[in-house]
């Protein structure tokens, strides 16, 4: 797949690196320094390059949106026409100091994003795990017992594509339903953040949904 990274920080930098190492063609974009984007692309040791958001979007099958909520309009404006694209978002609708969700209950960041990009197919995924765990999960992808990763969206094809990427990173994808379910997923992410950053065991943590017979 051709994957454009919109926001090449903690999440975008690591997920882009993993996607490239998993065999995808990745374009890193949107950081404050082009040198950083070039270094990220070089360090993947795989098929990756640096570009502008517009270059990342051109010809992309999937765009990973990984920016602070306050930067969403800016990066979307720079990316240009996203008609027909799959937008995989891990971005959370957080306030400026990252202490609270600014959208919730009756909507979600993912739904607001879908309203901003009505011709694209938005899937919410990867926001429920801290960036610190991503390389470890990728490194353990041959293990039988994979951690879960919930995702949601309204377009079935887009969800299948994203589920494949979730598997590539080393998670077991759990389809949580339509995009409105992001209203539940986004607050859950804050719980994961609490456990990761305020708990005793360090931030490299993931979760597993277990089902039992009745
Ligand atoms: N970090 C996590 O563990 C985590 C987990 C779940 C969800 N999330 C969500 O994922 C999203 C991304 O988080 P993150 O931690 O990856 O953020 P981050 O490390 O701050 O990355 C954001 C990216 O946007 C770039 N950027 C910011 N302002 C810019 C500007 N004015 N011009 C150009 N580029 C600019 C940054 O550039 P620089 O590289 O130059 O800083 C960086 O590459 C957020 O919505 C967050 O809530 C994060």
């Amino acid at each position: 797949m051709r994957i454009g990274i919109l926001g090449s920080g903690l999440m975008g930098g690591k997920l882009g690196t993993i996607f490239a190492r998993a065999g995808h063609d990745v374009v890193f974009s949107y950081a404050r320094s082009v040198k950083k984007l070039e270094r990220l692309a070089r360090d993947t040791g795989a098929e990756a390059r640096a570009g502008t958001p517009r270059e990342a979007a051109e010809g992309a099958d999937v765009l990973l949106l990984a920016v602070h909520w306050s930067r969403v309009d800016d990066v979307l404006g720079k990316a240009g026409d996203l008609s027909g694209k799959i937008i995989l978002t891990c971005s959370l609708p957080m306030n400026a100091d990252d202490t609270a969700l600014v959208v919730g209950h009756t909507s979600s960041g993912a739904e607001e994003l879908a309203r901003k990009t009505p011709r694209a197919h938005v899937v919410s995924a990867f926001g429920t795990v801290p960036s610190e765990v991503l390389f470890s999960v990728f490194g353990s992808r041959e293990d039988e017992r994979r951690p879960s990763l919930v995702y949601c969206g309204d377009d079935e094809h887009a969800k299948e594509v994203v589920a494949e990427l979730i598997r590539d990173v080393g998670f077991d994808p759990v389809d949580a339903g339509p995009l409105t379910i992001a209203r539940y997923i986004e607050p859950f992410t804050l719980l994961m953040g609490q456990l990761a950053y305020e708990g005793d065991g360090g931030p490299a943590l993931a979760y597993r949904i277990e089902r039992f017979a009745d």
Side-chain angles (χ1 to χ4, degrees), residues 8 66 76 83 88 97 121 127 132 161 168 171 182 185 200-201 213:
S8 298
L76 289 179
S83 299
L88 162 53
D97 59 4
H121 307 297
E132 286 85 349
V161 169
D168 285 345
F171 291 96
I185 292 177
D200 295 331

Side-chain angles (χ1 to χ4, degrees), residues 27 99 114 159 196 214:
V27 180
T99 52
K159 285 173 76 172
D214 291 336

Side-chain angles (χ1 to χ4, degrees), residues 7-12 30-33 36 66-69 71 90-92 94 126-127 129-132 189 197:
S8 298
L10 290 170
M11 292 298 279
Y30 203 70
R32 277 163 284 216
S33 130
K36 178 188 176 175
V67 295
H68 190 271
W69 192 242
R71 307 304 312 172
C90 67
S91 301
L92 297 168
M94 300 301 289
F126 290 112
V129 287
S131 71
E132 286 85 349
T189 295
Y197 302 116

Side-chain angles (χ1 to χ4, degrees), residues 132-154:
E132 286 85 349
V133 83
L134 295 170
F135 284 128
S136 300
V137 172
F138 185 60
S140 311
R141 64 194 179 284
E142 303 300 339
D143 292 1
E144 207 174 303
R145 217 177 127 83
R146 288 177 159 216
S148 304
L149 196 91
V150 293
Y151 67 105
C152 67
D154 291 334

Side-chain angles (χ1 to χ4, degrees), residues 8 45 57 72 115 117 126 138 144 169 180 213:
S8 298
V72 169
R115 262 179 221 117
T117 57
F126 290 112
F138 185 60
E144 207 174 303
V169 179
T180 51

Side-chain angles (χ1 to χ4, degrees), residues 37-173:
L37 297 174
E38 288 169 347
R39 180 168 39 78
L40 271 171
R42 208 172 37 244
D43 289 352
T44 62
E47 203 66 32
R49 62 189 168 89
T52 63
R54 194 169 291 266
E55 286 164 348
E58 271 164 12
D61 301 299
V62 178
L63 285 162
L64 171 69
L65 182 71
V67 295
H68 190 271
W69 192 242
S70 58
R71 307 304 312 172
V72 169
D73 288 338
D74 186 55
V75 74
L76 289 179
K78 290 186 163 114
D81 182 16
L82 300 182
S83 299
K85 304 278 183 205
I86 297 171
I87 304 180
L88 162 53
T89 180
C90 67
S91 301
L92 297 168
M94 300 301 289
N95 61 2
D97 59 4
D98 279 326
T99 52
L101 292 167
V102 293
V103 180
H105 299 296
T106 53
S107 186
S108 60
E111 289 165 274
E112 294 304 310
L113 173 63
R115 262 179 221 117
K116 291 174 193 286
T117 57
R119 298 200 175 156
H121 307 297
V122 174
V123 179
S124 168
F126 290 112
T128 51
V129 287
S131 71
E132 286 85 349
V133 83
L134 295 170
F135 284 128
S136 300
V137 172
F138 185 60
S140 311
R141 64 194 179 284
E142 303 300 339
D143 292 1
E144 207 174 303
R145 217 177 127 83
R146 288 177 159 216
S148 304
L149 196 91
V150 293
Y151 67 105
C152 67
D154 291 334
D155 184 272
E156 282 312 313
H157 170 69
K159 285 173 76 172
E160 280 166 23
V161 169
V162 168
E164 195 181 324
L165 291 176
I166 292 172
R167 275 185 216 101
D168 285 345
V169 179
F171 291 96
D172 180 19

